[in-house]
Amino acid sequence: MSIQKLSPVLAQTYENFPKGRFISLVVLRKTQSETIFRTEGSGEPICSEFVQAGINDEDIIQRLVMTKRKQVAPERRYGREHLRAHELLYTSKDGSLCSLNTNSPCEMCVDCFLYGFAAGGGGAQKSRIWTEDAFSVLPATEVLGERTINAIYENGTMRDQNGNASTALNTSEYIKPGVHFLDIVTLKDVTADELRYVIGNILYTSRYGAVSSRVGRMENAILGIFGSIAELPSSLELVQAVYDALEKPLEHPMNTKRLTEKAKEVLSSWKNKRGVSVSLSDEELASVMTDVDNHWSAEERDNFLKRLSQSYEPFRQVPAESKKGKSKGKKAPVEVES
């Protein structure tokens, strides 16, 4: 099994103290619908930054940014849905069920151990899933669109029953379908099952950004997995290197196969980066994806998640104010979307 090739940088069990083991996932994210990366309803523009186009190409361009929280929050929620479904969330010190953005984490579930938590006046766990901003390959000017939004009355027109015209007319920026973002997610001192859990969250999460019940469809693919004793180059460096490698001129929509080939050419040179000890081939990578799919399948998911949850049992500290409680029959606080 190819996941065993990562054994030198995988922890055998969860440990409280870091030991310098890094696993880096190179992720290609592609929008499959209109997408909005900004605070919902704020009227702010789409997130973007002015950066150098490539490593060799020193032109300054504006790139779209998929911020860290816009990546990790939906992926955490996806994993937590299944923890909740399999009754693997715990009650916090105030007796409420573990929930995001409520300042009362349970400090005992898979999500808390992996993605971390900070309880006001209580304990804290640093996240072992390190993320950074993902950047679009193409400039923002190529991949942004604008829509006019109106709100019609129940009679299907812009005028009410008294003939008054609606003033609910606005324009909004959006990211076009088919836009590619490149990203590196770094896992620190994780076990094999924790790796499967995080990869599953990335692969199966399909909605990101604002108004995600209407837009925000996105497809994620893992292009490479590296094991090392240090972090890989940044997501921005990856995007810039791929931009240099692509044949010009570039225009939207970009061919995904062509982009993937160039990205893998860049990644092939990273095998010799300082600190890298393991790099999976395409065949080994495909084997890992199959392994993840098997563990997340309907037949195996319950055993997989319960085994992962059980692995933290020696490290759990039950809050003095309440006993450990599972999610069955409990009402969870509302989780705020980021």
Side-chain angles (χ1 to χ4, degrees), residues 78-90:
Y78 179 86
R80 291 173 64 87
E81 287 179 15
H82 290 282
L83 295 179
R84 187 178 298 108
H86 293 269
E87 301 182 2
L88 295 174
L89 293 180
Y90 294 76

Side-chain angles (χ1 to χ4, degrees), residues 44-262:
E44 298 173 357
I46 298 292
C47 298
S48 63
E49 290 286 354
F50 285 94
V51 295
Q52 192 165 299
I55 295 175
N56 299 321
D57 187 336
E58 297 182 352
D59 290 341
I60 302 301
I61 63 173
Q62 185 181 21
R63 278 195 164 102
L64 298 181
V65 176
M66 185 179 183
T67 60
K68 299 172 283 292
R69 287 183 61 83
K70 292 298 182 186
Q71 300 167 46
V72 74
E75 291 162 5
R76 286 186 71 176
R77 285 196 297 271
Y78 179 86
R80 291 173 64 87
E81 287 179 15
H82 290 282
L83 295 179
R84 187 178 298 108
H86 293 269
E87 301 182 2
L88 295 174
L89 293 180
Y90 294 76
T91 52
S92 60
K93 294 178 181 179
D94 63 7
S96 61
L97 191 67
C98 183
S99 185
L100 294 177
N101 301 322
T102 59
N103 202 32
S104 58
C106 69
E107 308 177 22
M108 295 188 291
C109 69
V110 174
D111 181 82
C112 284
F113 272 99
L114 256 178
Y115 290 91
F117 61 87
Q125 167 83 35
K126 186 175 182 179
S127 175
R128 290 181 290 134
I129 313 303
W130 296 3
T131 58
E132 52 186 294
D133 292 341
F135 293 87
S136 63
V137 177
L138 292 177
T141 53
E142 294 285 331
V143 294
L144 279 180
E146 194 172 82
R147 286 248 188 265
T148 299
I149 303 170
N150 61 3
I152 62 175
Y153 292 103
E154 287 195 27
N155 59 14
T157 72
M158 289 290 291
R159 293 185 178 275
D160 62 18
Q161 58 187 4
N162 298 319
N164 298 318
S166 171
T167 58
L169 191 66
N170 194 16
T171 58
S172 178
E173 279 187 320
Y174 68 92
I175 301 169
K176 297 176 181 178
V179 177
H180 300 87
F181 293 81
L182 283 168
D183 179 32
I184 297 174
V185 179
T186 304
L187 285 60
K188 184 84 183 299
D189 296 304
V190 297
T191 65
D193 277 345
E194 288 177 326
L195 175 63
R196 294 179 178 110
Y197 180 81
V198 173
I199 291 178
N201 287 348
I202 293 172
L203 293 181
Y204 296 130
T205 300
S206 58
R207 296 270 181 170
Y208 293 83
V211 204
S212 58
S213 61
R214 301 289 185 271
V215 296
R217 284 296 301 268
M218 180 168 276
E219 180 182 15
N220 299 321
I222 308 293
L223 300 186
I225 299 180
F226 293 83
S228 62
I229 58 171
E231 287 189 85
L232 292 180
S234 68
S235 296
L236 178 58
E237 291 174 280
L238 172 61
V239 169
Q240 290 171 331
V242 172
Y243 185 88
D244 282 339
L246 288 166
E247 297 176 3
K248 311 300 187 295
L250 300 177
E251 60 181 18
H252 180 77
M254 182 180 294
N255 183 278
T256 302
K257 182 179 179 181
R258 174 188 169 204
L259 174 61
T260 300
E261 290 172 351
K262 292 299 182 182

Side-chain angles (χ1 to χ4, degrees), residues 26-43:
V26 180
V27 186
L28 173 63
R29 305 179 185 270
K30 179 183 177 182
T31 58
Q32 297 288 359
S33 71
E34 297 175 7
T35 305
I36 302 171
F37 291 141
R38 59 167 170 75
T39 304
E40 186 171 353
S42 69

